[in-house]
Structure formats: structure tokens, C-alpha cells
Amino acid sequence: MESDDLNAPLGQDKPKSRLPKLPARMPQMLAAVLALGGVIVAGWAMVANDPLGGEPMAVVSTRLEGSGDTAGNPGDGREKAHRDGPGSGAVAKIPDAGKTPDGAKTVTIIDGSSGKRQEVVIPGTGTPDSADKAMAKAIAVKGPDGKPAATPAKPDARPDAKPDIKADFDPAKLSEKIRYGAIPKIGPDGAKPFAAFAQARTLPPALKDRPRIAIILTGMGISASGTADAFSLPASATFALAPYAVDVARLAERARDEGHELLLQTPMEPFEYPDNDPGPQTLLTSLTPDQNIDRLHWLMSRMQGYVGVVSFMGARFLTAESALAPVLSETAKRGLIFVDGGASQRSVAGQLAAARNMAFAKADIVIDAVPTPVEIERALARLEIVAREGGTAVGIANAQPGTITRVAEWMAKVESRGFVLVPISMIVAKSKST
């Protein structure tokens, strides 16, 4: 009897699924396969001869002299893989034995399979780097005929503008030799470098009671064009030389010959360090006092003849009393001024300096905090207000052409408005006297 489709219960004759069922232990099998793969990878990492641990690789084409690879025999077109070093991406050539050609650069190639290092030379043009040449040109003194001159050619706008350059002391008595070079010290007769190297102006009686303004230009020796332009400013402008500047010793010599007081720009830790890095030998809150003093000595040895140090960046370091105090003590011990560059409103440098009765000054206005012509002019106007209200003011700016142009225009006119421009030592002297 045929089944009655209308009366049969639903779902009784449901067709069976054609999909195969997975074995009950399949998930465990997959896990075992993955674990085995992990063991194989770990074993390979342990036994493989890869000393640099899988760093990114770059292929550098090298050709040895006399190797037989010439234009007519290019080989198979395949090169061994090398880890990229300081000069990756350039075609390196092994030089002949002897002196490295002028302008050539030596780089290190690291073999990725063995870790072996090899020094190779990238041929240069035979002349110094263009940046070095530009800075040398900026430092060079030129006479009226445009040729190198033995003496400064800068004219003085007024007889009273020329600083007093001392010649009655022995610089050798104001320095000591350490492993990095010569650094300042107080002389056996008590003479302090900041007093000996000061370039104070001789002010007539009519100008002595006027509000005093000092302008500090930082980063001297970094920008060739800015450094060259800075020498057009009056001698009252104080130059803060970067310790990394090209030929910083000769730059310091020229600046002093033209009557400028010098400060040593000292890199200090900002809040964003190391993403925002002031440079090598930066003073850090994470270092011990001895380590920071050692770094300070390296910085101090870069040049001679400066009256003090000025902080560069340092928003974090200037607020950390435990880190800053030993640096200020060392600065005072060596007879130098400490200038707070104004990186932080919470700086404790002023209190620490007062406790040590040391020569101290602080930048009141960062002139080029916003480096536009309008904002620079507003900053200079605020500087005049500070000087008129307090008797002294210190403005600080970076030695860049655009900034120097505005500052030069302002310096040419500010004394006609009842102010007097002075080097930083005369700000310190007046502050201590009052």
C-alpha cells in the first residue's frame, strides 16, 4: 500500500545529509600541527647562523679591485645579501691601500650570513662637504675688497659701542686640561672667566641709568646663512655657539675679535626626549650627577673664551632640582654665568643659582617662539615693556636669517626710544648690584 503523503507525519522521510562528518579528534589534530610548526620555527632560530636575528636586509653592490668582474664579465647578476649599514644603498668600492681620498666617506658593510664587518669607501668629489664649505665661508672674515682679511672689517656705529677687550690677563691661567681638552676654571688669583672674557661696553653717564636689553642668538654655527648674517649685528649681541658647530673654535675666535660675548649652548633634556633630541652629550635627568658633569666637561672643551653657558631646550631638566643642582654647582665652580634659556616657566634654576650666589640671568622673552615677522615684532615690543618695568630684559632667538633681519632692524632703532643694548654680562652685573 502506497503511503499517503497527506497523512504521513512531517519529517519522517527527510533525506540524509551528503556532507561528511568530521572526526571527533580533528580539532586536536589541527592544534598538534600548529604546535609542530612552532617547534620547527624555534629550532631553526636556534641553529641557523643568523647573528643579527632577522633584521631588514638591503642588497649593496660591491666590486673588489682586481676581482675580474668587468663590464665584459658582469657575472651572474646576483649579489650576496648584506645588512644595511651607515651608508646602505650606495655602490661601495674597496679603496687601494693608502690614504683615503679627500671627500670620500667610509661606511661599514655587515655580512648577513656571518656577521662579519667590512670597511668600504664611497668615493667623493675630492673636496670638502658643501655644508662645511658654506660654514667656512660664513666664518671667514672679509675685507672691503671681498678678500680674506686678517682683522675684522665690521665698523662700529658709535665710538661708545666698541667693547673693552681685555689684554691684561693670561688665558692659560683660566683653563685646565682634562681628557677632552681645555675647560674653564677660576684662576689662582681668583679671576673668573666670565669677568675676564666679558666684553662690557663703556657707557657714558647719560646711558648708565637707561633700561638695559641683551639679545642672545643661539645656534651659532649650525646655519651657515644665519651665522653669516649674525655678524652684521652690533657687538652688543651675545652669541651662543652650538658645541657641534663646524670649526667652532675659529667661529668663537672671530666672534670675540669682533667684540661679541660668547655663551656655550648646553643641550638639556626636554619633556619629549628622545623623540625631541637636543643632540649628543645631552644632560639627562636619568643620569647620575657624575655622568652629567662628565658630559658638561665634554661640551665645555669644544671652545674657549666664553663667559657662561646657556640652556638649550631642557624643559624637563630645568625643573629637576636633583639633576640641575650639580650642574649649576660645577658652572659656579668654574667661574661662569648660567643663563636659563626660558624653556620652562617652572624652572628652578633661579632659586638654585641664588642659593649659590652665582652669576645668573634668564631669558625673559623667546623672540622667535612663533617665527613670523608679525610675531617677532610683537615679541620685541614685549621685551621693551619688560625692560622698562624691571630695568633689564633678556631676549633670546635662533640664528636664522629671517629672525636676524627683524632683530637687526629693531636693534638699529631701539636705543632712540630710551634703551641701551648690552651684552649678557652687563645684565648680570646690574642684577647683582640691585
Side-chain angles (χ1 to χ4, degrees), residues 270-278:
F271 280 112
E272 302 82 9
Y273 184 86
D275 293 334
N276 190 12
D277 191 348

Side-chain angles (χ1 to χ4, degrees), residues 164-171 173-174 189 191 195-198:
D164 297 328
I165 301 177
K166 298 177 178 60
D168 56 349
F169 71 93
D170 183 2
K173 295 181 179 180
L174 300 177
D189 58 352
F197 294 115

Side-chain angles (χ1 to χ4, degrees), residues 300-317:
M300 286 180 170
S301 69
R302 298 304 95 188
M303 64 178 188
Q304 304 298 317
Y306 49 93
V307 299
V309 301
V310 58
S311 62
F312 176 60
M313 296 190 183
R316 180 187 295 276
F317 196 86

Side-chain angles (χ1 to χ4, degrees), residues 90-116:
V91 177
K93 183 179 180 180
I94 305 298
D96 293 331
K99 184 179 179 181
T100 301
D102 291 338
K105 292 184 179 297
T106 301
V107 299
T108 302
I109 300 297
I110 306 176
D111 191 297
S113 59
S114 66
K116 181 180 179 181

Side-chain angles (χ1 to χ4, degrees), residues 185-203:
K185 72 168 187 177
I186 297 176
D189 58 352
K192 296 183 177 181
F194 91 79
F197 294 115
Q199 307 268 38
R201 287 179 58 182
T202 301
L203 299 178

Side-chain angles (χ1 to χ4, degrees), residues 212-214 337-338 354 357-364 390-394 422-434:
R212 298 181 181 183
I213 300 178
I337 300 170
F338 184 87
N357 194 31
M358 66 180 295
F360 174 81
K362 181 177 181 178
D364 297 291
T392 63
V394 178
V422 297
I424 191 63
S425 66
M426 294 183 69
I427 296 289
V428 173
K430 185 170 183 178
S431 298
K432 290 180 74 68
S433 65
T434 56

